[in-house]
Amino acid sequence: MPAPVSPAPVSFETGDQPLTPGVTLQREGTRFVVHSRHATAMDLCLYDPDDDSRETARIRMRRTECDLWYATVRDVKAGTLYGYRALGPWLPKNAMRFNAKKLMLDPYARAIHGRPDEAEHMRTVPDPQHAPGCVDNGAKALKSVVIDEMFDWAGDAAPRVPWRDTVICELHVKGFTKTHPDLPAKIRGTYAGLAHPSVTSYLKDLGITAVQLLPVHQHLDDGFLLGRKLTNYWGYNTIGFFAPHNTYAAAKDPQEQVREFKTMVKALHAAGIEVILDVVYNHTAEGNEYGPSLMFRGLDDHGYYRHHYGEDGAGYLNVTGCGNSVDSASTPALRLILDSLRYWVTEMHVDGFRFDLAVTVARNEKDGFNPQSQFLSAVAQDPVLSKVKLIAEAWDISREDSYQVGHFPEPWRELNGKYRDTVRSWWRGDPGATAEFAKRLCGSQDIYGWNQRPPIASINFLTSHDGFTLMDLVSYSHKHNEANREDNRDGDNHNHSTNCGVEGQTKDAKVIQARARLRRGMIATMMCSLGVPFLTAGDERGRTQGGNNNAYCQDNEISWLDWNHCDKDMLDFTRRMTTFRRRLGTFRRSTYFDGKLNPTIGLRDVTWLEGNGTLLCHEEWHSEERRCFGALLGPQNDSSTPLLLLFNNGSASEPFILPGDKDIVWTLAFDTSLSPSFPNGQVTHAGGRKYALQGQSVVCLELTTTGAGLDLEPKAC
């Protein structure tokens, strides 16, 4: 029998202010509010911070309008541990799975106490023919923590970088600094580590304007992974939508963990770097009916999750591949998502969000994707959220409407999966890819222009956490995920990768040089494309995962950035490419090319060229033999500089006649066939002469002619 629980001084006065879910510290006590429509009773359980297994009080809460349960408890201070026990029917066929033996987390908890490992005590019996589990897990359960939100934000200023100037770097809070030699050991792999001057200065020097952090919401490590001595390293397994993940903090005290996160944001802002969070509102770590019961399932399964109803009763609608889908069209779930987003902006000062499987969140009450769905409409009119950076992973799985790249409304941006696949295919040398490659280079007007969205709606990425690193993309022709212990069945089989003749690591100098050229060519392509560049941390240094393209469970050297080894030439090249892009407005324009002649300057904004100096004709774009082409880019205004981009994805050198006559002077900006690719001094070439365009390279030249005679219009084909 559990020890008797002491009573607590409780008030049920509501005052004049409406109740809001979560915990509010007040002068007269601490108010607890939780939502449940179908519970018949709700108990608030308080626990001793010094002995998290000891329950100190249990309070029967009262129900009020809007399906809110509440109680105000005197003498409860910041640091107190708590949880909820929801009483109600066990009717899984009706999507009701109440079990008062299980302590539930507060969905609005600002911090979570305990080791976030899935355990047997969290489970209930899913068979509707049996009663729910009878094991009380209060002593062992994860606990919510009362947090004081006070923090000194003095001097913090959001960078507010315009989209056209944004360069994103995706990184993992732990993995990015875990091996950093300049950081004290105790803060490596933590929020404090990411705030260290050595880290912020590195990012700033790299030309990064925004870090996109892999999930930092409190997540749960899956039981099946723990059984294999692995963990959910990426963190797409949320259990706390308001709580920073506790094991990423150097601090042990939950209050200090929240402050550590805020200090990290403040430090990044001081370096001019925005903070974008990768957020997972499409599903939770509770999984399907066989998963743990931690929050939504035990508080109100019917109200928080999407279900399909048939002859066998209610089943979880699973368009996420993770067992459940949060019902963002329902009032309680939609409110929680919006409240969570606003909290991270207003209280934690983050600058934007990248939404994992955003199509799931954008589904309406009929489970269909809708650009005017409840969630998208609510965000569009929200005075806080409509002003931050919003990025959609514009797909989920297993539905006819699951792929929605190009269909999210303004002000959303989207991860452009077609950009990734096309650029990879073209640089690999796939036949017939040139026309689509040019479309991606020009901002994917075919994807975004139809509904008046600009080129900067496209987040142009070559790699991300999910898939090969850039080095592995040119070193492996197929995945090598054996370390995941799934017999190499996991991970994508369609990577558009190449091994350049040798699978994996090699000492062959020619192969090493080819891989370096391809990597430089792809980075140059991304930085010279219309849209928003997206760099995966470590690609600038030659990071490898040994061919693992699904390292979601590898919290070790496979995933961590190795600060002791660096491809210095690649790092220097990437830095110079971000500087080059920042200097020129041509690649940061927010309107598409139209190919029309500007009579003031005598040039079109884009002219496509053959290697012989003539116009590239329409029918030639789709030739499977085509390996090279040029793009003459006119200035955006009278004071900017015309540019010439030359591309060659073939293995052989191709002579390319430069536009103009001998009086036209072109100055080399970079040539990715060379290392270093940016010349130390001025290297010039006359118009009308042949440029030796090397295989697997991209070249950029700037027009430096002064005076009259600017005749660059090529002959017709």
Side-chain angles (χ1 to χ4, degrees):
M1 292 291 292
V5 176
S6 304
V10 181
S11 169
F12 294 102
E13 297 295 327
T14 58
D16 297 329
Q17 297 300 317
L19 296 178
T20 57
V23 171
T24 305
L25 287 170
Q26 300 175 324
R27 181 177 301 176
E28 67 277 12
T30 299
R31 174 175 289 168
F32 296 83
V33 181
V34 65
H35 177 277
S36 179
R37 180 173 182 81
H38 297 95
T40 57
M42 186 75 65
D43 286 342
L44 165 66
C45 301
L46 304 180
Y47 288 82
D48 184 350
D50 297 322
D51 179 4
D52 60 7
S53 66
R54 190 174 76 87
E55 186 175 349
T56 60
R58 185 175 299 191
I59 297 101
R60 180 59 54 91
M61 305 176 79
R62 287 190 182 176
R63 185 174 190 154
T64 185
E65 59 185 350
C66 301
D67 304 315
L68 296 177
W69 301 79
Y70 72 100
T72 300
V73 187
R74 290 187 290 277
D75 300 326
V76 169
K77 300 177 182 179
T80 299
L81 307 182
Y82 71 100
Y84 296 114
R85 296 178 185 270
L87 289 73
W90 176 259
L91 296 171
K93 285 189 174 183
N94 299 98
M96 296 185 191
R97 291 179 167 87
F98 294 100
N99 182 358
K101 296 288 186 180
K102 304 301 179 184
L103 188 74
M104 296 294 103
L105 291 167
D106 180 0
Y108 280 73
R110 272 33 175 187
I112 292 175
H113 169 82
R115 183 72 189 177
D117 293 346
E118 184 180 333
E120 190 62 33
H121 67 78
M122 300 173 178
R123 298 182 183 279
T124 56
V125 177
D127 187 345
Q129 302 302 317
H130 296 82
C134 60
V135 175
D136 191 303
N137 76 335
K140 297 180 179 180
L142 297 170
K143 311 293 193 307
S144 305
V145 188
V146 177
I147 294 296
D148 185 346
E149 301 287 357
M150 294 297 293
F151 181 78
D152 182 9
W153 284 105
D156 182 61
R160 301 191 184 281
V161 180
W163 272 115
R164 67 190 300 270
D165 299 328
T166 296
V167 178
I168 298 172
C169 179
E170 182 192 51
L171 60 86
H172 189 284
V173 168
K174 181 176 182 179
F176 191 68
T177 65
K178 184 63 178 175
T179 71
H180 201 301
D182 296 338
L183 272 59
K186 65 180 181 180
I187 67 168
R188 292 176 189 170
T190 68
Y191 304 123
L194 196 54
H196 193 276
S198 295
V199 177
T200 57
S201 61
Y202 175 86
L203 291 166
K204 187 173 183 178
D205 291 346
L206 188 57
I208 301 305
T209 70
V211 290
Q212 181 178 296
L213 307 181
L214 266 72
V216 296
H217 289 175
Q218 184 72 58
H219 72 263
L220 190 76
D221 282 322
D222 314 69
F224 78 93
L225 289 176
L226 295 170
R228 299 173 184 170
K229 301 187 183 304
L230 301 170
T231 62
N232 194 317
Y233 173 69
W234 287 351
Y236 292 90
N237 213 31
T238 308
I239 57 173
F241 293 101
F242 295 76
H245 189 66
N246 55 20
T247 67
Y248 294 165
K252 302 305 179 186
D253 177 67
Q255 179 75 62
E256 293 306 314
Q257 291 170 357
V258 175
R259 290 178 179 148
E260 184 178 327
F261 185 94
K262 293 178 178 179
T263 301
M264 175 196 71
V265 174
K266 190 174 180 179
L268 287 163
H269 283 179
I273 299 170
E274 295 182 300
V275 179
I276 298 172
L277 303 187
D278 191 337
V279 289
V280 188
Y281 293 106
N282 58 80
H283 75 279
T284 77
E286 291 187 307
N288 62 18
E289 61 270 23
Y290 297 97
S293 186
L294 298 163
M295 45 175 189
F296 291 169
R297 175 172 290 135
L299 289 173
D300 198 344
D301 189 66
H302 191 285
Y304 282 108
Y305 290 123
R306 295 181 185 271
H307 298 87
H308 56 80
Y309 295 88
E311 294 180 358
D312 296 327
Y316 290 106
L317 185 71
N318 182 16
V319 291
T320 65
C322 300
N324 64 56
S325 304
V326 175
D327 188 1
S328 54
S330 74
T331 298
L334 177 60
R335 178 175 184 174
L336 180 141
I337 294 170
L338 296 173
D339 287 348
S340 170
L341 292 169
R342 280 191 292 265
Y343 171 79
W344 289 97
V345 174
T346 59
E347 292 293 337
M348 305 295 249
H349 285 207
V350 305
D351 306 281
F353 306 94
R354 177 267 195 194
F355 289 77
D356 178 64
L357 300 183
V359 169
T360 300
V361 192
R363 292 188 179 278
N364 60 18
E365 72 283 359
K366 297 181 180 179
D367 300 325
F369 172 79
N370 189 332
Q372 286 81 45
S373 67
Q374 288 88 339
F375 170 71
L376 293 178
S377 296
V379 169
Q381 59 78 45
D382 190 283
V384 173
L385 302 180
S386 61
K387 293 180 174 63
V388 302
K389 285 183 164 66
L390 301 169
I391 303 171
E393 184 184 43
W395 52 82
D396 56 16
I397 65 173
S398 66
R399 285 291 185 95
E400 290 184 2
D401 64 349
S402 282
Y403 194 76
Q404 294 293 339
V405 172
H407 291 86
F408 274 71
E410 294 180 311
W412 287 80
R413 270 58 182 170
E414 297 173 8
L415 289 169
N416 191 344
K418 292 183 179 180
Y419 180 94
R420 172 200 59 202
D421 295 344
T422 300
V423 173
R424 288 182 177 190
S425 294
W426 193 83
W427 278 109
R428 186 173 66 171
D430 292 357
T434 304
E436 188 169 357
F437 177 81
K439 291 178 183 178
R440 305 299 154 245
L441 185 72
C442 294
S444 297
Q445 187 174 7
D446 57 323
I447 298 175
Y448 301 106
W450 66 273
N451 64 349
Q452 308 304 312
R453 295 173 68 193
I456 49 176
S458 176
I459 305 296
N460 296 333
F461 72 113
L462 301 167
T463 65
S464 69
H465 66 277
D466 187 3
F468 281 140
T469 67
L470 189 61
M471 175 62 86
D472 289 355
L473 191 64
V474 297
S475 303
Y476 296 90
S477 60
H478 56 272
K479 65 188 182 184
H480 295 266
N481 297 353
E482 290 80 8
N484 297 354
R485 303 182 184 180
E486 298 180 35
D487 298 323
N488 208 33
R489 295 189 304 269
D490 62 306
D492 198 347
N493 293 317
H494 305 286
N495 298 287
H496 309 284
S497 64
T498 178
N499 63 17
C500 294
V502 179
E503 188 75 0
Q505 295 184 3
T506 181
K507 294 182 180 180
D508 189 312
K510 290 185 178 180
V511 173
I512 292 172
Q513 290 172 4
R515 291 173 177 177
R517 285 199 307 272
L518 284 173
R519 287 185 290 137
R520 291 194 296 267
M522 284 190 276
I523 289 292
T525 299
M526 181 171 68
M527 293 299 172
C528 293
S529 296
L530 304 192
V532 180
F534 176 105
L535 184 72
T536 303
D539 282 352
E540 79 282 4
R541 302 172 62 88
R543 187 176 79 90
T544 177
Q545 292 183 164
N548 192 322
N549 76 345
N550 188 36
Y552 77 103
C553 54
Q554 300 297 333
D555 186 3
N556 50 48
E557 290 80 2
I558 291 176
S559 296
W560 300 342
L561 185 61
D562 183 356
W563 286 93
N564 295 313
H565 296 87
C566 178
D567 183 339
K568 294 182 179 179
D569 290 341
M570 189 65 190
L571 176 59
D572 179 69
F573 175 77
T574 307
R575 284 172 173 164
R576 299 192 70 167
M577 278 306 311
T578 58
T579 301
F580 180 73
R581 178 184 174 88
R582 187 166 58 247
R583 178 170 66 85
L584 298 171
T586 303
F587 307 124
R588 295 181 289 111
R589 57 187 289 158
S590 55
T591 58
Y592 296 104
F593 296 120
D594 59 21
K596 295 179 181 178
L597 184 68
N598 184 334
T600 304
I601 56 179
L603 280 177
R604 306 175 191 277
D605 58 6
V606 63
T607 304
W608 303 104
L609 304 175
E610 289 272 21
N612 62 7
T614 63
L615 284 171
L616 180 56
C617 299
H618 180 271
E619 58 270 19
E620 293 297 323
W621 276 111
H622 301 280
S623 169
E624 293 195 354
E625 288 73 37
R626 175 159 299 284
R627 289 290 175 262
C628 69
F629 69 95
L632 175 60
L633 306 177
Q636 283 194 283
N637 51 61
D638 294 344
S639 62
S640 57
T641 304
L643 300 172
L644 179 64
L645 289 173
L646 308 178
F647 293 89
N648 181 7
N649 72 346
S651 58
S653 174
E654 296 280 352
F656 207 106
I657 298 177
L658 303 181
D661 55 27
K662 61 182 179 60
D663 296 324
I664 297 294
V665 178
W666 294 98
T667 299
L668 181 65
F670 64 81
D671 182 339
T672 63
S673 70
L674 306 174
S675 183
S677 300
F678 286 82
N680 292 325
Q682 191 176 60
V683 178
T684 60
H685 299 268
R689 301 292 180 88
K690 293 180 180 179
Y691 187 96
L693 179 60
Q694 299 301 311
Q696 297 176 322
S697 68
V698 53
V699 172
C700 182
L701 301 108
E702 298 183 67
L703 184 70
T704 51
T705 296
T706 57
L710 187 62
D711 184 12
L712 299 177
E713 189 72 12
K715 298 178 182 178
C717 54

